[in-house]
Amino acid sequence: MINKSLRELAQAKNFYLGAAVLPNLLKKDSKYTETLSSEFNMIGTENCMKWRAIHPDINKYTFDESDGLIDFALKNDMAVRGHTLIYSRKMPEWFNNIKDKKLMEEQLEEHIKTVVGRYRGKIYAWDVINEEIDFEGNHQQSPLFKMLGISHIENAFLWAHKADPDVKLFINEFGIEEINKRSDLTYKMIQDLLQKKVPVHGIGFQMHRALGSDDKWLNKLPDLESMRKNFQRFADLGLEVHITEMDIPIQKAIGSYEEKLIEQGKAYKEILEVALSVKNFKALVVWGVTDLYNWIDFISQTKDAPLLFDREYKKKPAYFAVKKALEE
Ligand code: 9MR
């Protein structure tokens, strides 16, 4: 049997397997570029489309990095998940400092129409809203929410839809993989939006889950039965289902490095299998290409190994586990 890449296996299933990308690495690391384009058929825009990157000042847009990344995706026949139009906790200071309600709303509309319009027809899905819910399961009390309330969410979808009627519009959230207070609120919010005919097309489960740990930043692995039921209830709303930011840190697990990698592979496989059993599940994006560059190292200040390729770009057990799940 010919040894197929993950990309080929995904393609054969009409599925998207993606990785989050930092565009500067495409310039400086040819192995990164080669691995990305040969093993994945989707790109997640890790940082370059966030407000602080793309719209750093009131009248200033910086599109260089995101333009380059979109060109790269088109040249390599890869789909793109645009991330993100609203990330209420990470808005730039200039935006948070707006004191006039009308002006804030105008700025939001202008941003969404400009960014979505620029990439019209080139992006598969947009995370319109990212991390709307706080750790306790309530709406984030960001300056944006305090000023405009829930209406900004409805408007964001309507504006984005107008700017690109074909792009799929998502709500993306962390820690909502299972049935819990936060996924309940997300579900309820989407139900309300759909009832009002707001064009919400998909739900993104981030899937930052860890081996051997359960704290605020490194959530333990999901309960698979609860995850299956939860994915299914969102799919039953007619939504497309994506896993959008998967990584499985191993630093808190017990055992040798090799043992941890095997356990990690098992977790990747089980989670992917459960997700694939839900009909509307169409994409899995891992939050980086290689362990060499991963955000867990940064937030935990510990060298971790959360992804599919190791620091030398060797395929890990997690790689083969994903492969197996895609082959089934
Ligand atoms: O991986 C991203 C990291 O490089 C950034 O510094 C950080 C802040 O913008 O965001 C990280 O990505 C986050 C994503 O945008 C939303 N979900 C959680 C991700 C990890 O923090």
Side-chain angles (χ1 to χ4, degrees), residues 46-47 50 83 87 90 130-131 206 208 245 287 295:
E46 184 166 351
N47 289 325
K50 290 176 180 164
H83 176 82
Y87 191 168
K90 305 266 168 153
N130 183 55
E131 296 175 14
Q206 292 188 1
H208 294 289
E245 307 186 8
W287 207 236
W295 80 284

Side-chain angles (χ1 to χ4, degrees), residues 248-301:
I248 304 186
I250 62 170
Q251 58 183 273
K252 296 282 168 70
I254 297 161
S256 66
Y257 176 66
E258 287 72 21
E259 285 165 346
K260 290 181 186 181
L261 292 193
I262 288 170
E263 208 187 320
Q264 180 188 48
K266 192 166 158 264
Y268 264 102
K269 181 157 179 286
E270 285 176 350
I271 290 171
L272 182 51
E273 280 169 350
V274 169
L276 284 166
S277 74
V278 175
K279 203 170 132 252
N280 299 3
F281 178 62
K282 290 272 184 290
L284 163 71
V285 177
V286 284
W287 207 236
V289 175
T290 152
D291 290 343
L292 187 56
Y293 317 110
N294 79 80
W295 80 284
I296 303 289
D297 283 11
F298 179 74
I299 49 144
S300 66
Q301 295 296 306

